[in-house]
Amino acid sequence: MPATATAASSGGRSTPEPATGSASVSSSPGSASVSSSRGSAPVSSGITSASASASATDSLPVSSGPRSGPSTSTGPARSVPPAATLPGGGRTLFPGHLLVALYGQPGISGLGVLGEQDVPESITRARRLAARYAELGRGTVVPTFEIIATIADSAAGPDGDYSAETDVETLRSWVDAATAAGLYVVLDLQPGRTDFLTQARRYAELLQRPNVGLALDPEWRLGPGQRHLQQIGSVHAAEVNAVADWLAALTAQHHLPQKLLLLHQFTRSMILERQDLDARHPELAVVIQMDGQGNQDVKDETWQSITADAPAGVRFGWKNFLRRDHPVLDPAGSLAKDPTPVLISYE
């Protein structure tokens, strides 16, 4: 299906209008200015390799295969490449890192702030936004792209799934640029009538990178006969767990640092049997993002509902809607939530 389809919207979380100059995130071009004063947290500037001094507790276990008897080889020892690390260092996402993300689809301004400018300007905007959080001294702040890889579509398309899948080559240029700039990247899925695992496998090549995670958006997961905007979608925990099993295995197979698995939620019904979510994979950091919009009193009520009775091992994220929240929280207000968000995104 074409990648230029327009995403659907709902009363709970709708597609934003293009932001204007009054938006609280700077969109001007140029290099980001990062505060270097005492007390400020660092902003990620690149992906590095693990150093010899890295703490053993900051590394995920990597299988070295079955043990064998003593080696009888007389050839030269082969060097082992250093293990890939996350933007900002280390191999474990949380605690220690705060992801600050621009959400959207490249080239489509109506789907979020990420689509309002080209790649270089998006990198600059993400860095400047992250620098505002770094001033609060909350650990290493990592500027992030959250890219809608598959878009909820009003048309069924040739495959009948009501989801427009962006091809890997189109996404690769954005992922390459983000990687070179030291950003984290999250690929967001809006699967329509297909399942999340089927769509996730489509992007396995990109997910093999150490700085690329995955997001599942149940609002746009349709059951048989359902259409977008006629109801809020939902997913069973078993389907999420199947994605987690696959993503954890992919991460372990390629000796990658811990990978983000993000779940969008603004109603309890969006994730069915939520208590059965399995967040025990050490290869994954499972985060539920509360992405309701509007009046802050209503958002706080939704936050309390979504964070209550959290499955073991799950962390939480917060989303700011630049055109639809009243008012839009500043960085200090966004991080004042309890529990403290580990990811803040802007749509």
Side-chain angles (χ1 to χ4, degrees):
M1 298 171 63
T4 56
T6 301
S9 64
S10 75
R13 184 173 69 84
S14 59
T15 302
E17 301 170 6
T20 66
S22 62
S24 59
V25 178
S26 170
S27 60
S28 59
S31 300
S33 174
V34 181
S35 171
S36 60
S37 61
R38 292 175 181 258
S40 297
V43 175
S44 164
S45 60
I47 298 175
T48 61
S49 297
S51 67
S53 61
S55 169
T57 60
D58 196 37
S59 298
L60 296 173
V62 177
S63 170
S64 59
R67 294 184 179 272
S68 59
S71 173
T72 58
S73 172
T74 58
R78 291 182 295 176
S79 61
V80 178
T85 58
L86 295 161
R91 286 178 57 83
T92 301
L93 273 168
F94 313 118
H97 296 84
L98 170 65
L99 304 184
V100 177
L102 300 181
Y103 172 95
Q105 226 280 341
I108 306 180
S109 62
L111 296 185
V113 297
L114 186 62
E116 293 177 357
Q117 58 280 306
D118 62 16
V119 178
E121 290 175 333
S122 291
I123 290 171
T124 296
R125 190 173 184 179
R127 283 176 168 170
R128 286 180 169 166
L129 183 59
R132 295 177 61 198
Y133 282 84
E135 293 172 356
L136 302 177
R138 299 293 187 91
T140 300
V141 181
V142 181
T144 301
F145 285 169
E146 185 177 355
I147 302 174
I148 308 173
T150 65
I151 308 171
D153 200 340
S154 59
D159 53 10
D161 64 3
Y162 293 89
S163 178
E165 298 89 355
T166 307
D167 64 84
V168 171
E169 287 305 315
T170 298
L171 295 176
R172 192 191 311 280
S173 62
W174 279 73
V175 175
D176 285 348
T179 300
L183 273 63
Y184 198 80
V185 177
V186 185
L187 302 181
D188 196 278
L189 305 182
Q190 300 177 357
R193 291 188 187 174
T194 192
D195 63 277
F196 281 113
L197 182 55
T198 295
Q199 285 203 336
R201 290 180 184 276
R202 176 186 292 267
Y203 302 104
E205 175 189 341
L206 297 177
L207 289 166
Q208 290 174 26
R209 301 194 184 196
N211 64 317
V212 178
L214 184 66
L216 314 181
D217 196 343
E219 179 182 3
W220 311 111
R221 173 68 168 94
L222 301 178
Q226 291 183 338
R227 299 283 295 275
H228 295 302
L229 298 183
Q230 295 180 2
Q231 70 291 297
I232 296 172
S234 63
V235 64
H236 289 272
E239 184 173 328
V240 176
N241 290 342
V243 175
D245 291 344
W246 173 80
L247 190 60
L250 183 78
T251 302
Q253 177 185 354
H254 295 280
H255 312 299
L256 301 172
Q258 192 176 50
K259 194 169 290 290
L260 178 69
L261 178 58
L262 182 68
L263 312 175
H264 292 276
Q265 187 177 24
F266 59 86
T267 70
R268 292 298 290 252
S269 63
M270 286 172 62
I271 304 177
L272 305 174
E273 304 97 28
R274 195 177 78 150
Q275 70 278 5
D276 295 332
L277 286 177
D278 185 0
R280 295 174 297 177
H281 292 289
E283 297 88 357
L284 305 180
V286 180
V287 175
I288 293 177
Q289 182 174 52
M290 197 294 289
D291 55 354
Q293 61 177 313
N295 181 278
Q296 290 299 330
D297 289 339
V298 175
K299 291 191 68 165
D300 281 339
E301 291 177 3
T302 306
W303 175 260
Q304 295 301 323
S305 173
I306 296 303
T307 59
D309 306 317
V314 170
R315 301 174 188 271
F316 289 92
W318 176 267
K319 177 174 280 190
N320 290 312
F321 290 80
L322 296 180
R323 301 286 295 187
R324 298 180 183 272
D325 283 354
H326 311 290
V328 177
L329 295 184
D330 62 12
S334 299
L335 290 178
K337 301 301 174 185
D338 183 19
T340 303
V342 298
L343 178 147
I344 307 289
S345 65
Y346 286 79
E347 180 172 336

